[in-house]
């Protein structure tokens, strides 16, 4: 029995860590972090370690299926790939002929491997591509654009060289990026301070130098008070500010009322504690990372929380700086050609987008769209009918609020297709299921990583598919062949890669040694005296002309969050190290480690309700209820309860996850209409529930 090693990319969450897979006799025997990536330190997170359980799980989709019963009834007809491709292609062509290509939409999870299926949609002529980001980081992206003129991924988080890290909308030790975790831990061993601002004492908070338990919805007030302290006492980096910040006087005038004393009434944080924290930030000037957030789809002012995080970073001279948020490099920045893009094979569609971006909403970036507004168009037919929807490795029925309302919108579709490697609520409600091979069983397109040291990287197939599933390029090619898009049809993954590598000077064999090709010899830090940003002024702009033109304030006065009605709690949710949203709950190994999501409730609030730790509790909103168990603790703010997202599955085929725990999205009725008008993201944490002992 001869073992072989395969360099690949983990697919258990959206981080996509580089990994090395050991294979013996066609079976995966070991998974580890790619040893050629120093910050991986050979490690994977608990989810990554459970990758083999995903491929051996007999309860995942095994063959293409076409629905024969009502939507959501779970009655299917197993079909061949040829029949599935013919069926989907015929339906798409019918819809295109009747409504135009704009009647077709596609969403995905975003990320580095989306080029080919985005090209498929564009090749059909539809502008209606969205990713999941309005349920995650759209507020961060738009905040970055409004300050720097560049997207959130235009900077790196230089944790390894940082002297003070602030995590407010980022739970780094539970929503794990292995390289970031290792770099932060190294920095902390070298004296870096860690401050956590949250309503709940997370695992990350347990590692912090300072932890501020703020009132739910008061993050913006906290940030305004920090800026007030920096500005009023002239503690900011004046040299950096004079060179790179436009609109400092506007900020100074705006911030006048928002003192630490004022903020105490909103946040519950004593002024002396806040001032001591600011002094620590100032001592680390230039090597501070105030992380602007990952999942920032929380409140209707979360865009401004993210925006003020960028402003604090600017005031401390961190944007562009080593140890702070240095600018990344693209292949062109180091004199190299980038990968040839499939999406460039076709012109940008002329039709306006169904979600309104680019014409109704002019201050939003068009590319990834706003999926919840596209779903609104599916339901209303405004601005035109959208009749086909492909959910590509995306589960909006679990990932967006109010799934019952969303199902009613989907009932207007003539075709709903799920491309997925695991069962999901959306796949169960679809018309056609096209089983995507899990990441260990598929190749992906080569991807570019813009970074301090830019690179190309590839996901190799470690083992052959166990069931009748296919890789992305095979699924796109099968449909493209039938719909007159021969440019997207390839006989092998090698042919796909050779197309992408044209003109780069890189060959497929160059990936064999490490799974990646570095385009620079070492990390590149820009000259701090020659920074330039992609704003009209070339500086970091406190006042955004695009926001102001759209009738939105760049500097928005604080509005206190709604107080929970008497006897109710604000429902909040988040992540843990063991699960990735919903798709890992039925994983045999991870389910064994965490089979239910307890409801965190404050000890004093629980005592008033007669609830003890471990009790079964009923969580209700109006006439709707679900049950779970209570986690009674002092480590959560008394106005809120908290749950790990992704539980409460109702799909019978998922025998382990079925009926286990609470599905937070079911308690967000009307939530598709609650979104941040400045940043674009859903406001998930604007809903209230009551709790009682069962």
């Amino acid at each position: 029995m001869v073992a072989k090693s395969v360099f690949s990319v983990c697919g258990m969450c959206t981080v996509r860590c580089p990994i090395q897979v050991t294979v013996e006799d066609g079976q995966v025997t070991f998974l580890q972090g790619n040893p050629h990536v120093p910050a991986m330190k050979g490690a994977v997170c608990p989810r990554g370690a459970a990758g083999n359980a995903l491929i051996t799980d007999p309860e995942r989709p095994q063959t293409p299926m076409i629905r024969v019963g009502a939507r959501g009834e779970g009655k299917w007809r197993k079909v061949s790939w040829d029949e599935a491709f013919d069926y989907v292609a015929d339906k798409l062509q019918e819809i295109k002929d009747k409504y135009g290509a704009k009647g077709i939409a596609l969403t995905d999870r975003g990320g580095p491997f989306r080029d080919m299926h985005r090209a498929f949609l564009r090749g059909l002529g539809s502008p209606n591509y969205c990713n999941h980001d309005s349920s995650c980081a759209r507020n961060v992206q738009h905040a970055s654009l409004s300050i720097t003129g560049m997207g959130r991924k235009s900077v790196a988080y230089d944790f390894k060289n940082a002297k003070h890290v602030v995590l407010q909308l980022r739970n780094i030790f539970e929503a794990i990026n292995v390289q970031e975790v290792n770099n932060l831990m190294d920095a902390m061993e070298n004296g870096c301070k860690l401050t956590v601002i949250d309503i709940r004492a997370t695992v990350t908070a347990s590692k912090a130098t300072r932890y501020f338990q703020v009132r739910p919805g008061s993050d913006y007030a906290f940030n305004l008070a920090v800026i007030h302290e920096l500005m009023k006492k002239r503690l900011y980096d004046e040299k950096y500010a004079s060179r790179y910040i436009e609109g400092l006087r506007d900020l100074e005038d705006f911030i006048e009322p928002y003192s630490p004393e004022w903020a105490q009434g909103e946040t519950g944080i004593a002024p002396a504690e806040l001032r001591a924290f600011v002094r620590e930030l100032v001592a680390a000037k230039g090597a501070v990372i105030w992380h602007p957030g990952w999942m920032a789809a929380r409140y209707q002012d979360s865009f401004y929380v993210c925006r003020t995080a960028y402003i604090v970073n600017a005031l401390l001279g961190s944007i562009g700086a080593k140890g702070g948020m240095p600018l990344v490099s693209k292949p062109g920045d180091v004199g190299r050609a980038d990968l040839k893009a499939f999406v460039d094979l076709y012109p940008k569609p002329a039709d306006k987008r169904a979600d309104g971006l680019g014409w109704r909403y002019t201050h939003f970036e068009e590319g990834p769209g706003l999926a919840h507004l596209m779903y609104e168009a599916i339901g209303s037919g405004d601005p035109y009918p959208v009749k086909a929807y492909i959910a590509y490795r995306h589960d909006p029925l679990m990932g967006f609020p109010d799934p019952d309302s969303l199902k009613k919108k989907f009932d207007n579709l003539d075709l709903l297709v799920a491309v997925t490697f695991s069962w999901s609520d959306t796949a169960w409600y679809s018309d056609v299921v096209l089983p995507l091979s899990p990441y260990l069983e598929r190749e992906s397109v080569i991807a570019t990583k813009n970074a301090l040291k830019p690179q190309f990287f590839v996901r190799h197939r470690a083992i052959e598919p166990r069931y009748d599933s296919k890789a992305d390029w095979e699924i796109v090619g099968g449909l493209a062949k039938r719909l007159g898009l021969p440019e997207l049809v390839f006989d092998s993954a090698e042919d796909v890669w050779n197309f992408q590598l044209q003109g780069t000077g890189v060959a497929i064999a160059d990936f064999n040694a490490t799974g990646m090709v570095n385009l620079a010899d070492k990390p590149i830090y820009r000259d701090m005296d020659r920074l330039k940003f992609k704003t009209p002024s070339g500086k970091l702009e406190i006042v955004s002309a695009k926001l102001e033109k759209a009738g939105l304030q760049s500097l928005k006065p604080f509005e206190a969050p709604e107080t929970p009605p008497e006897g109710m709690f604000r429902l909040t949710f988040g992540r843990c190290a063991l699960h990735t949203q919903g798709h890992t709950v039925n994983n045999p190994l991870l389910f064994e480690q965490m089979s239910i999501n307890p409801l965190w409730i404050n000890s004093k609030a629980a005592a008033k309700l007669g609830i003890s730790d471990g009790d079964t509790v009923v969580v209700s909103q109006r006439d709707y209820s679900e049950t779970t168990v209570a986690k009674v603790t002092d480590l959560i703010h008394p106005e809120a309860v908290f749950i790990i997202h992704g539980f409460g599955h109702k799909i019978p085929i998922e025998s382990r996850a079925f009926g286990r725990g609470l599905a937070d999205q079911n308690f967000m009725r009307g939530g598709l209409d609650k979104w941040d008008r400045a940043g674009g993201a859903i406001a998930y944490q604007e809903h209230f529930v009551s709790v009682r002992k069962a």
Side-chain angles (χ1 to χ4, degrees), residues 582-595:
H583 90 81
T584 61
V585 175
N586 202 56
N587 181 292
L589 287 180
L590 296 174
F591 175 83
E592 185 178 287
Q593 297 298 313
M594 183 180 184
S595 60

Side-chain angles (χ1 to χ4, degrees), residues 490-630:
F490 294 89
D491 293 328
S492 69
E494 288 75 13
D495 290 343
V496 174
W497 297 337
N498 279 325
F499 169 87
Q500 294 182 278
L501 291 172
Q502 291 176 45
T504 64
V506 175
I508 294 174
D510 295 337
F511 293 89
N512 292 342
T514 63
M516 55 198 171
V517 174
N518 290 318
L519 304 180
D521 295 330
K522 60 183 180 180
I524 298 168
Y525 292 92
R526 309 296 177 89
D527 185 343
M528 289 298 291
D529 291 327
R530 304 182 69 175
L531 297 178
K532 189 169 178 61
F533 302 97
K534 294 183 180 179
T535 56
S537 67
K539 297 182 177 183
L540 301 166
E541 295 189 344
I542 300 299
V543 176
S544 164
K546 183 175 277 191
L547 282 174
E548 301 291 330
K549 185 178 179 181
L552 296 160
Q553 295 167 295
S554 302
L555 298 167
K556 180 180 176 292
F558 177 78
E559 297 177 43
E562 182 181 354
T563 300
E566 184 67 29
M568 301 189 80
F569 302 87
R570 186 180 296 275
L571 178 63
T572 67
F573 68 89
R575 293 275 295 277
C576 68
L578 287 165
H579 287 298
T580 304
Q581 287 91 35
H583 90 81
T584 61
V585 175
N586 202 56
N587 181 292
L589 287 180
L590 296 174
F591 175 83
E592 185 178 287
Q593 297 298 313
M594 183 180 184
S595 60
I596 197 169
N597 55 345
L599 185 83
W600 287 49
I601 184 170
N602 180 271
S603 301
K604 292 180 181 178
K608 290 180 181 179
L609 297 169
I611 295 170
S612 299
D613 191 56
D615 282 348
T616 299
V617 291
V618 179
V619 180
S620 302
Q621 187 186 75
R622 297 193 290 275
D623 58 343
Y624 182 79
S625 300
E626 292 184 18
T627 61
T628 186
V629 297

